[in-house]
Amino acid sequence: MVDSRETIVVIGAGIVGVSTAYFTMKKLVSEHPSSATRPRVILLEQCEPGCSASGKSGGFLARHWSDGTDTEQLAQFSYDLHAKLAAEHDGATKWGYRPLDTFSAEIDRIPVAPSKQRKKGHQRTESESIVTSIEVIAPQPHLLSPFATNYSCSGTPSALEDIQTSTHASISVPDLQAVKSVPPETVPWLKTNVLTNLRQVGGTGNTAQVDPLKLTRAMLAEAKALGLEVVRAKVIDVAETGYRPPVIELSIDNHHTISQDMLSIIKPKTAAQVMMELDDARNVNNGVSRTTKPYVVVLDQVGLDIPADKIAVACGAWVTSCLRWEAFREVSASQIPIQGLRVHYLLAKPKVEIPAQAVFAEINGTVYSGEDAIEIYPRPDGSVFVCGEALDDPEMPPHNPFEPVYSKHATSRLKQIVNDVSHALSFDVIQYGLACHLPVHAKGIPVISKVPTTKGLYIAAGHGCWGILNGPATGLAVSELLLDGKSTTLDLTNFRLDRWY
């Protein structure tokens, strides 16, 4: 028998999808004490919760590093929401939430053996090159004001040229000229002989950290305790119930035409059409009327297809998969220009205890041409997360998020850089050869929007390196869209699907 309760489906169990499911369930439980009448919420994930960027990023939080940009309100609200969630669910214990001090380090001329020097005229290949996230997800530097300093989650501040054009930069903080240097011994675990400048760019009142994988899975556990249903399956299609392509008559000659219905004889049917026809046949045989829900989510497992009233797509770098789904036929690729920026990372075991100090290090004059930029995040559990070595161009990620994507060259270089800048990090116990895809939007800001003209389709993706920071607030806003039809917490005008095209 068809379940008559409203059914909401969230696709993707990263931080955005899990947050959406959590806040949706939280509100539903408060409004519908009885589970018998409460709408269903189903979370779909083809792999594991937090299996890509949501489980493999640094987990750095900054309240003001997006000030003056389109994401300022989102970032500030979500930073405060992180603190609230941590207080409510013991985040310090469950997912390593803690405020911390943040530093910008300039490191110059790391000594190297002559044999390692590159030959003159060497051209860097794509796999040897690095860029910071901001270089990919924001306009070129010449579009930015010289009075702003831009940060990325894979780099440190850089001077910018002046131009009269407005920008949509993702991250900006006050000019470093206004930030005083601090003594090298302030961060004692960095090598002082190569440290040329050290500035404190954040404190415990405005920067913090989490372990993103633990956060994502802890929030998922809270949502499941409220009644969330979780299904591990891959979405093949999302079909609109009762939708038939418009009849198009094609002229063969002056006297004969062929209709769209006739073309269907020779045109293969979609998986959704086949499954819906099978459902129709089963329903007729069983004396059950067909569901009146507007959508059917077709999964890769027979018998698990889900009739749905509303659907939120929050699958990060894989969000463009929805372009192949029938119900999303009005969405164009230009409206969600989101791809994966491959970033490498490693986990190190320090020789000594390292305090709560995050470091954004920019290294000049290394064996590598140009500059290298890395981020170092000591965690409460005693490990140290280090990331950097992003490849030049966003790319389409592999179909399977578990598929190895790292570059051996980039991983080795990242390991060497860490060894060069810190005497405290040991590689006796370490995980390396790791990478993930950050979902970056060509305009530098996420999409958080209803799909126009649809009954209940929503997209939330493209948060770049700030996905962990902005994930909870995004989830809260999407839950309001799903349940109330509009967000009262945040102004989502900047993030609408049809803003640019």
Side-chain angles (χ1 to χ4, degrees):
M1 186 173 183
V2 177
D3 194 329
S4 61
R5 291 179 298 165
E6 182 180 41
T7 301
I8 298 171
V9 174
V10 180
I11 302 174
I15 186 61
V16 175
V18 167
S19 295
T20 298
Y22 167 78
F23 284 110
T24 302
M25 286 304 311
K26 189 175 182 180
K27 184 170 184 179
L28 286 175
V29 168
S30 66
E31 294 179 348
H32 302 272
S34 172
S35 60
T37 59
R38 185 186 308 145
R40 299 175 65 198
V41 181
I42 303 172
L43 179 65
L44 299 177
E45 171 56 53
Q46 67 167 323
C47 292
E48 297 286 347
C51 62
S52 189
S54 292
K56 301 175 182 178
S57 58
F60 179 69
L61 313 176
R63 194 178 195 279
H64 294 294
W65 287 25
S66 299
D67 286 5
T69 74
D70 288 343
T71 58
E72 176 179 345
Q73 181 200 24
L74 175 65
Q76 291 185 7
F77 183 89
S78 204
Y79 183 89
D80 296 339
L81 185 56
H82 270 281
K84 181 178 179 181
L85 289 170
E88 183 177 349
H89 299 292
D90 191 18
T93 301
K94 292 181 179 179
W95 59 80
Y97 174 85
R98 67 175 178 180
L100 78 171
D101 294 320
T102 305
F103 298 87
S104 166
E106 296 177 22
I107 298 173
D108 197 28
R109 308 296 296 180
I110 296 176
V112 294
S115 61
K116 293 184 179 180
Q117 297 287 356
R118 291 191 182 276
K119 296 180 180 180
K120 292 183 179 180
H122 173 78
Q123 299 295 318
R124 304 173 78 188
T125 65
E126 177 182 340
S127 63
E128 293 176 317
S129 302
I130 67 161
V131 295
T132 62
S133 301
I134 197 68
E135 291 176 301
V136 174
I137 63 174
Q140 295 300 314
H142 67 273
L143 295 179
L144 302 176
S145 165
F147 303 108
T149 299
N150 279 343
Y151 277 80
S152 79
C153 287
S154 288
T156 51
S158 57
L160 304 170
E161 299 176 8
D162 188 16
I163 196 169
Q164 302 297 322
T165 311
S166 61
T167 88
H168 300 286
S170 292
I171 314 161
S172 61
V173 297
D175 191 338
L176 274 186
Q177 299 303 318
V179 181
K180 293 183 179 180
S181 298
V182 296
E185 55 268 24
T186 307
V187 184
W189 48 277
L190 291 178
K191 292 182 178 179
T192 57
N193 64 320
V194 295
L195 186 60
T196 61
N197 202 350
L198 183 69
R199 294 185 174 97
Q200 183 166 356
V201 293
T204 56
N206 50 44
T207 56
Q209 72 176 146
V210 297
D211 181 320
L213 181 59
K214 291 180 180 178
L215 168 65
T216 300
R217 294 187 174 178
M219 296 304 295
L220 177 59
E222 295 292 339
K224 290 173 68 176
L226 294 172
L228 173 70
E229 301 174 45
V230 180
V231 176
R232 182 169 176 173
K234 182 178 180 179
V235 177
I236 300 300
D237 202 351
V238 176
E240 189 171 1
T241 306
Y243 170 74
R244 290 179 60 84
V247 174
I248 302 175
E249 292 189 345
L250 305 176
S251 176
I252 297 177
D253 52 38
N254 293 334
H255 306 288
H256 301 86
T257 62
I258 183 170
S259 70
Q260 182 74 22
D261 287 339
M262 295 174 66
L263 283 175
S264 67
I265 298 174
I266 57 175
K267 180 180 178 181
K269 296 179 181 179
T270 66
Q273 290 172 327
V274 172
M275 295 305 298
M276 288 173 67
E277 289 176 3
L278 290 175
D279 285 344
D280 276 337
R282 285 195 294 267
N283 288 337
V284 169
N285 291 334
N286 296 331
V288 179
S289 61
R290 182 170 180 79
T291 176
T292 58
K293 297 187 182 301
Y295 305 106
V296 175
V297 182
V298 181
L299 304 179
D300 61 350
Q301 300 179 35
V302 177
L304 290 184
D305 300 342
I306 304 171
D309 296 279
K310 298 173 184 176
I311 301 169
V313 180
C315 42
W318 287 264
V319 69
T320 54
S321 298
C322 74
L323 296 174
R324 300 190 296 269
W325 301 340
E326 178 190 89
F328 287 79
R329 61 189 175 275
E330 299 298 329
V331 179
S332 67
S334 61
Q335 291 178 317
I336 47 173
I338 297 169
Q339 291 183 298
L341 176 66
R342 189 170 12 151
V343 179
H344 293 78
Y345 69 98
L346 56 81
L347 287 171
K349 178 71 174 180
K351 297 177 181 178
V352 297
E353 183 178 355
I354 295 180
Q357 296 175 322
V359 173
F360 288 72
E362 183 175 302
I363 304 102
N364 301 315
T366 68
V367 292
Y368 323 111
S369 58
E371 300 174 346
D372 286 288
I374 63 172
E375 303 159 31
I376 307 175
Y377 303 109
R379 288 178 170 172
D381 64 4
S383 65
V384 178
F385 181 97
V386 184
C387 62
E389 296 304 306
L391 299 186
D392 273 338
D393 300 313
E395 60 189 8
M396 292 304 298
H399 291 297
N400 181 4
F402 284 151
E403 182 178 327
V405 295
Y406 70 92
S407 159
K408 291 183 179 179
H409 180 85
T411 296
S412 298
R413 186 166 66 182
L414 182 59
K415 179 178 177 181
Q416 182 60 50
I417 292 173
V418 175
N419 191 45
D420 288 339
V421 303
S422 175
H423 55 75
L425 301 182
S426 167
F427 295 99
D428 295 335
V429 181
I430 191 172
Q431 291 181 343
Y432 64 96
L434 306 169
C436 68
H437 284 90
L438 297 178
V440 294
H441 189 292
K443 295 293 186 179
I445 60 174
V447 171
I448 311 170
S449 175
K450 181 181 180 182
V451 178
T453 73
T454 66
K455 298 176 181 178
L457 301 179
Y458 303 84
I459 296 176
H463 292 73
C465 64
W466 289 122
I468 301 302
L469 169 64
N470 294 327
T474 298
L476 175 57
V478 175
S479 73
E480 293 173 340
L481 290 176
L482 289 166
L483 298 178
D484 304 325
K486 63 179 181 180
S487 174
T488 55
T489 298
L490 294 169
D491 180 1
L492 301 180
T493 304
N494 290 333
F495 314 121
R496 66 185 187 276
L497 188 66
D498 58 356
R499 176 179 179 182
W500 307 105
Y501 303 99

